[in-house]
């Protein structure tokens, strides 16, 4: 393995760890009434917008801007809904459940791709979707008794699921409509819409509205907004170019595992076999689906390259 691949792998591991810590830190802020959920999303978005704007100006990314970037408006609305549902839901559930239930995106992606492009879902996607739903039921249960396992989910659990579905819609939307777009500019405008939505919701509707000027909490805000959002998105986009799709498929779901262990270590939630079992089911489903999709994409790429070699005149 060359040096570039090793550094990229280390970079992705850092992203996974930070994205696993972020919900635990956010839950700490909510539980202590330092910040209210939507306002935290708004400020986190604002800080990440400033950081990404500086990066884009330095790299002269706006030179690629054209009318096709209007697509960022619906993309931003979808991403804004995802973040708001996820973080408002986090206020009424545990970090472990919140991050694992975000994996409901696994259901939304193949359905959206079918609607948008008529692309039929693979058997791996279907199995993964069913496994994710089953894993979510186990995750939200309270014991191994059949009737206790499938207990009524909290409002936070439901909102976290909805947030996960919106994340899935955003993934499919980006895959279909964001081709040939500068990724930094595309994400920047998404974050601008997300930030605007969050302030519009938080200021008039979020009651009570909490905000802390303590310097330690301001530092946490910068950590969440600049490091966990802007830096992580940029680092992920850079590193993913040098790492195989299979590696990404295996690594990304691990952020939920990090969130679970971190929240248990800091006693933000009690150890539960339901969380372990449900989390393992969801993680295994996503990994297997990701590996299968990467295998299919590799075969398609090899097939296209073979066709190009056989028909060089058509290029």
């Amino acid at each position: 393995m060359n040096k570039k691949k090793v550094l990229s792998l280390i970079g992705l591991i850092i992203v996974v760890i930070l994205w696993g810590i972020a919900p635990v830190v956010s839950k700490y802020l909510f539980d202590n009434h330092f910040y209210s959920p939507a306002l935290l999303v708004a400020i986190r978005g604002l800080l990440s917008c400033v950081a990404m704007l500086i990066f884009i100006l330095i790299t002269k990314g706006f030179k690629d801007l054209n009318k096709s970037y209007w697509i960022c408006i619906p993309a931003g609305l979808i991403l804004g809904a995802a973040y708001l549902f996820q973080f408002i839901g986090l206020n009424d559930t545990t970090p472990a459940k919140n991050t694992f239930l975000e994996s409901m995106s696994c259901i939304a992606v193949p359905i959206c791709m079918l609607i948008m492009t008529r692309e039929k879902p693979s058997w791996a996607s279907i199995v993964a979707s069913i496994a994710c739903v089953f894993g979510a039921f186990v995750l939200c249960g309270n014991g191994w008794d059949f009737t206790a396992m499938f207990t009524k989910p909290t409002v936070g659990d439901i909102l976290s699921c909805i947030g996960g579905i919106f994340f899935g819609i955003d993934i499919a939307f980006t895959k279909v409509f964001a081709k040939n777009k500068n990724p930094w500019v595309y994400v920047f405008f998404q974050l601008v819409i997300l930030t605007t939505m969050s302030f519009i919701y938080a200021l008039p509707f979020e009651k009570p509205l909490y905000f802390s000027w303590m310097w330690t909490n301001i530092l946490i805000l910068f950590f969440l907004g600049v490091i966990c959002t802007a830096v992580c998105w940029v680092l992920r986009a850079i590193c993913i170019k040098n790492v195989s799709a299979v590696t990404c498929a295996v690594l990304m779901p691990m952020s939920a595992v990090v969130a679970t262990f971190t929240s248990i270590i800091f006693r933000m939630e009690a150890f539960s076999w339901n969380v372990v079992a449900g989390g393992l089911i969801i993680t295994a489903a996503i990994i297997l689906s990701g590996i299968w999709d990467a295998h299919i994409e590799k075969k398609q790429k090899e097939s296209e390259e073979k066709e190009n070699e056989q028909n060089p005149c058509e290029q």
Side-chain angles (χ1 to χ4, degrees):
M1 190 179 289
N2 60 44
K3 187 178 179 181
K4 187 180 285 187
K5 283 190 176 181
V6 171
L7 290 174
S8 296
L9 184 60
I10 293 171
L12 284 178
I13 291 171
I14 291 171
V15 170
V16 167
I17 292 171
L18 289 173
W19 279 352
I21 293 172
V24 179
V25 174
S26 301
K27 181 67 172 175
Y28 161 78
L29 296 176
F30 300 157
D31 289 348
N32 289 280
H33 305 299
F34 291 135
Y35 300 99
S36 44
L39 185 61
L40 179 65
V41 174
I43 298 169
R44 179 178 174 178
L46 181 61
L47 291 170
S48 61
C49 283
V50 172
M52 289 205 75
L53 178 61
I54 293 170
F55 178 83
I56 293 169
L57 289 174
I58 292 172
T59 57
K60 299 180 181 179
F62 286 125
K63 67 180 180 181
D64 300 320
L65 202 59
N66 54 51
K67 290 182 180 179
S68 68
Y69 280 85
W70 283 108
I71 202 69
C72 294
I73 294 178
L77 293 172
I78 295 167
L79 187 65
Y83 266 94
L84 284 172
F85 276 114
Q86 184 193 28
F87 277 84
I88 293 171
L90 178 59
N91 198 36
D92 192 37
T93 189
T94 66
K97 289 183 181 180
N98 181 262
T99 48
F100 275 120
L101 290 172
E102 184 190 324
S103 302
M104 288 300 105
S105 59
C106 205
I107 298 171
V109 172
I111 294 173
C112 289
M113 291 302 292
L114 178 62
I115 294 170
M116 294 177 188
T117 65
R118 303 297 179 188
E119 179 183 310
K120 293 182 180 179
S122 65
W123 66 267
S125 297
I126 296 170
V127 171
S129 299
I130 295 169
C132 276
V133 173
F134 177 72
F137 275 111
V138 175
L139 185 74
C140 296
N142 292 319
W144 292 113
D145 177 68
F146 185 80
T147 56
M149 186 182 291
F150 300 97
T151 53
K152 184 180 179 181
T154 66
V155 173
D157 295 336
I158 295 170
L159 293 177
S160 298
C161 275
I162 296 172
I165 290 169
F166 271 105
F167 275 118
I169 296 171
D170 180 68
I171 291 168
F173 191 91
T174 299
K175 191 171 183 179
V176 174
F177 297 105
K179 292 177 181 177
N180 303 318
K181 300 284 187 299
N182 183 312
W184 320 125
V185 177
Y186 180 80
V187 172
F188 169 73
F189 282 117
Q190 276 192 302
L191 291 173
V192 169
I193 300 295
L194 177 151
T195 303
T196 305
M197 281 178 65
S198 301
F199 274 119
I200 289 172
Y201 174 82
L203 297 178
F205 299 114
E206 196 163 50
K207 305 296 180 184
L209 192 68
Y210 297 113
F211 183 87
S212 171
W213 286 102
M214 288 174 58
W215 70 270
T216 50
N217 293 329
I218 297 297
L219 283 178
I220 292 173
L221 278 182
F222 273 92
F223 169 73
L224 290 173
V226 178
I227 305 299
C228 291
T229 307
V231 172
C232 278
W233 275 105
V234 172
L235 184 60
R236 180 181 181 272
I238 293 171
C239 294
I240 210 167
K241 294 177 182 178
N242 304 310
V243 178
S244 70
V246 173
T247 303
C248 294
V250 172
L251 276 178
M252 287 301 116
M254 292 299 110
S255 59
V257 177
V258 173
T260 302
F261 279 110
T262 307
S263 61
I264 290 173
I265 288 170
F266 286 97
R267 298 182 180 180
M268 297 184 73
E269 60 184 294
F271 176 82
S272 166
W273 283 111
N274 284 81
V275 171
V276 173
L280 285 173
I281 293 168
I282 292 170
T283 304
I286 295 170
I287 289 173
L288 291 173
S289 176
I291 290 173
W292 176 259
D293 289 343
H295 173 68
I296 295 299
E297 285 181 13
K298 185 180 179 182
K299 285 183 69 176
Q300 289 177 344
K301 189 176 180 180
E302 289 175 350
S303 177
E304 288 173 3
E305 288 175 353
K306 198 172 182 179
E307 285 181 10
N308 290 335
E309 288 175 1
Q310 292 175 348
N311 304 292
C313 297
E314 294 180 7
Q315 295 181 24

